[in-house]
Amino acid sequence: LYTIKFESSKQIMDTLNYYMEHIKDILTYNGNTYDIQINYGMLLLALCCWCFTVLRVFNTIPDFCAFTAACLYLLFSVQIVCCLLVHCVGISGVWCALIGFAYRLWVHSPVDPVFSNRVFVWAIFACYLWANWHYFRTESSKFTIICHIVATWLGYEANNIWVKSHAKREEKQQKKEKE
């Protein structure tokens, strides 16, 4: 019985070590510095775009930070699970979804964005196109571009769902205040 338990826990540890090693490879692009520079640079730009657009919706900074942390946790979790399932590496789905979410909010926002925000968001979109062009012209599979488009669309649609639920919450809150 003791030996079986030891073998079982060894198998569990081996499996955990395998997945942890693969997650490290996912987050570090198997050590490919060029992909790391492009994708983490795009993640930084996407987070800036996110901040410029999403922050305007929230009344308080803590609410914005909690929402952003929850979204990043969800996006990174989905990205890592997808990479584990199809044996790929990278975080590009995260920045694509962030850009899709922020772009939809920026385009459909009732508040007219300041000109500098508009220029900034278009610059982010140009970087998004450049990064996808890079993947298209390199030896990278066309599957990567399809995943980028799907992730961007999912971010855009997630914002659509979020905006509708946010509007319903505000409507309920206004009804409560009237009563």
Side-chain angles (χ1 to χ4, degrees), residues 33-170:
T33 56
Y34 189 64
D35 279 339
I36 290 171
Q37 291 168 353
I38 288 172
N39 287 283
Y40 281 95
M42 284 301 299
L43 179 62
L44 180 64
L45 289 173
L47 284 171
C48 290
C49 180
W50 174 271
C51 289
F52 271 120
T53 56
V54 178
L55 184 58
R56 295 181 302 146
V57 175
F58 287 92
N59 296 330
T60 66
I61 297 294
D63 289 344
F64 167 75
C65 291
F67 178 73
T68 300
C71 288
L72 287 174
Y73 177 77
L74 177 66
L75 290 173
F76 270 101
S77 298
V78 168
Q79 175 76 52
I80 288 171
V81 167
C82 288
C83 285
L84 289 172
L85 290 174
V86 298
H87 302 289
C88 66
V89 297
I91 57 140
S92 57
V94 174
W95 58 258
C96 287
L98 285 174
I99 287 174
F101 190 97
Y103 182 75
R104 194 244 177 244
L105 184 64
W106 180 75
V107 167
H108 296 289
S109 177
V111 179
D112 187 35
V114 181
F115 178 73
S116 62
N117 283 358
R118 183 172 294 170
V119 170
F120 182 76
V121 172
W122 280 111
I124 297 293
F125 190 67
C127 290
Y128 170 82
L129 292 175
W130 173 83
N132 280 300
W133 175 77
H134 158 73
Y135 282 109
F136 185 75
R137 71 178 179 80
T138 62
E139 70 281 345
S140 205
S141 73
K142 306 312 178 233
F143 179 72
T144 303
I145 295 169
I146 292 168
C147 290
H148 287 182
I149 292 168
V150 168
T152 306
W153 176 78
L154 287 173
Y156 187 89
E157 287 303 316
N159 179 275
N160 192 26
I161 294 166
W162 179 74
V163 165
K164 287 177 183 176
S165 68
H166 188 70
K168 285 181 183 177
R169 258 182 280 136
E170 284 185 355

